[in-house]
Amino acid sequence: MISIRFVTTFLGFAFTAFLVARASWVTGPVEVPALLWGSMILYLLTAWLCIFWGMPTGLKARSSSVTVARGSDRLPMWACLFALAVSMVLPPMVTIGVGPDGLTEQYATWYIGGLGALMTILVIRRRPWPAWSGTAVLAGWSMFLLGPLPALGLGLVGSIVWVTGAQFFTNALDAAARDTERLGDLQRTASAVQAAQGGQQRERRIQVQRALAVAGPVLARTIASGGRLTEEERTEARIAEGRLRDELRGPRLLDADVRAALDAARRRGALVTVLDEGGLDELEESQLHEIRVQLAETLRSARSERLYIRTSSDDRVAVTVVGRASSTLGLSDEDSVDLWREIEHPGR
């Protein structure tokens, strides 16, 4: 697929060259040939400067999609001012060069179409105000030199139509580019949401599989025995319930060592509560691993009757482990705390 930039560049180059080639076919008397030919050379240099300045060196086809780099298409202001200056001097140059006897000849009125094409180039290069200013200069000069009706009949209307059409074209192209960018943003957002939903679905499937693995055997024995469980089976059921709560309330805190330490604490009769209240979402897996290692060590050394494990949103502390002695010892809530461990964020 050939890019729009390549097409417009080629058309501008070919059309300006055609206008000058057509004007060079001089069929009548010329008073100052140097001015006429000099005006053609000046026009070509100006037009091609406005076409090629700032364009990439490799204009090649793109196989994916057409992209419009509006910022890179914008012509420098100095080039616009130079084109305006040329639009001011070109009509009198041609008129003086041709002389009064051939003012309406094709080789004497070519500047009307030529400057119209030049102003069209300025519009396409994202400089509409200089382009319309140059069009106004062209209209003023041509009507002054030829008269209003002859100027309109010899190409002024067509030049204005070219500039107007180019204005509509660039506006439509810019609007399409903006819509494409918005569509791309929406597509990226939709893809991100879809990926997040997919991750949540996978996480839910993993949790369901873990729940079935933990509670499935206990539920099967309960159904098979009609609810009449032995003391050992009741202990396994209590531990299974604790595992399920851990998986639902604090999955980011768990690995094989932490799960084993939690099971060991429950088997010795401790009541364990695990709560993930945020603060770990931005951590990498290696940082979570360090926190889990410290948590497993703390749980293995704990002898408390009740254990509370909570994540923290504090900038320094990642996890807090609180152990309390049994309330039957007659201690107050404050005095019954026999374990306090703050696991800090790795690297802080």
Side-chain angles (χ1 to χ4, degrees):
M1 180 182 296
I2 300 177
S3 67
I4 292 178
R5 175 178 291 175
F6 177 81
V7 173
T8 54
T9 301
F10 176 77
L11 289 178
F13 172 80
F15 190 61
T16 52
F18 167 75
L19 288 174
V20 172
R22 187 164 174 260
S24 64
W25 188 262
V26 179
T27 58
V30 176
E31 286 194 0
V32 187
L35 277 180
L36 180 61
W37 295 107
S39 65
M40 296 179 187
I41 295 174
L42 177 63
Y43 170 77
L44 277 183
L45 292 177
T46 306
W48 291 350
L49 172 70
C50 294
I51 291 173
F52 293 107
W53 185 270
M55 303 297 283
T57 55
L59 293 171
K60 42 186 174 180
R62 298 185 181 183
S63 57
S64 55
S65 62
V66 175
T67 59
V68 181
R70 297 189 296 276
S72 63
D73 283 348
R74 196 173 179 84
L75 192 66
M77 182 54 69
W78 65 264
C80 298
L81 296 177
F82 183 68
L84 280 177
V86 170
S87 69
M88 294 178 184
V89 302
L90 199 66
M93 280 183 64
V94 175
T95 301
I96 295 172
V98 172
D101 295 334
L103 289 181
T104 58
E105 297 294 335
Q106 174 182 297
Y107 56 87
T109 59
W110 69 271
Y111 64 86
I112 299 178
L115 291 179
L118 180 60
M119 298 304 114
T120 302
I121 293 168
L122 293 187
V123 172
I124 294 176
R125 294 301 305 269
R126 303 308 191 275
R127 290 295 187 179
W129 292 114
W132 284 109
S133 300
T135 304
V137 171
L138 170 63
W141 265 123
S142 59
M143 289 183 180
F144 174 76
L145 296 172
L146 303 173
L149 292 179
L152 292 173
L154 291 171
L156 182 58
V157 173
S159 295
I160 296 174
V161 170
W162 292 347
V163 177
T164 304
Q167 185 74 70
F168 281 115
F169 172 77
T170 53
N171 290 343
L173 200 61
D174 290 346
R178 289 192 295 269
D179 292 340
T180 301
E181 291 174 1
R182 285 196 292 267
L183 180 61
D185 293 338
L186 291 175
Q187 186 176 6
R188 285 189 291 271
T189 302
S191 299
V193 171
Q194 186 177 7
Q197 291 177 346
Q200 293 174 355
Q201 291 175 354
R202 287 192 296 272
E203 185 65 25
R204 285 195 292 268
R205 284 197 298 268
I206 292 173
Q207 291 181 357
V208 170
Q209 291 172 357
R210 287 175 178 169
L212 291 176
V214 171
V218 176
L219 291 174
R221 287 197 299 272
T222 302
I223 294 172
S225 63
R228 296 182 295 275
L229 300 177
T230 64
E231 190 63 29
E232 182 180 354
E233 289 173 338
R234 291 179 184 276
T235 301
E236 292 296 330
R238 180 172 59 84
I239 293 174
E241 179 188 6
R243 289 175 184 167
L244 286 176
R245 292 181 183 274
D246 296 343
E247 297 291 344
L248 294 175
R249 293 179 175 180
R252 294 179 66 82
L253 288 171
L254 304 178
D255 61 7
D257 292 338
V258 174
R259 290 187 180 96
L262 290 172
D263 285 352
R266 290 189 174 104
R267 288 186 184 280
R268 64 176 175 80
L271 298 177
V272 184
T273 302
V274 179
L275 289 176
D276 183 357
E277 298 178 327
L280 304 181
D281 296 336
E282 303 299 327
L283 298 184
E284 299 179 356
E285 188 61 32
S286 59
Q287 295 174 311
L288 289 174
H289 176 71
E290 294 183 29
I291 293 173
R292 291 164 183 164
V293 169
Q294 298 182 55
L295 178 58
E297 293 176 354
T298 303
L299 292 175
R300 282 194 290 266
S301 62
R303 294 296 178 263
S304 305
E305 298 289 335
R306 290 174 292 169
L307 290 169
Y308 300 92
I309 305 163
R310 307 170 77 99
T311 62
S312 172
S313 57
D314 187 78
D315 293 336
R316 182 181 63 86
V317 179
V319 180
T320 301
V321 182
V322 179
R324 293 182 179 273
S326 175
S327 59
T328 59
L329 298 178
L331 303 174
S332 66
D333 286 343
E334 193 171 317
D335 293 336
S336 66
V337 175
D338 61 358
L339 173 64
W340 181 276
R341 173 72 191 281
E342 292 180 342
I343 301 175
E344 298 183 357
H345 286 280
R348 297 186 184 178

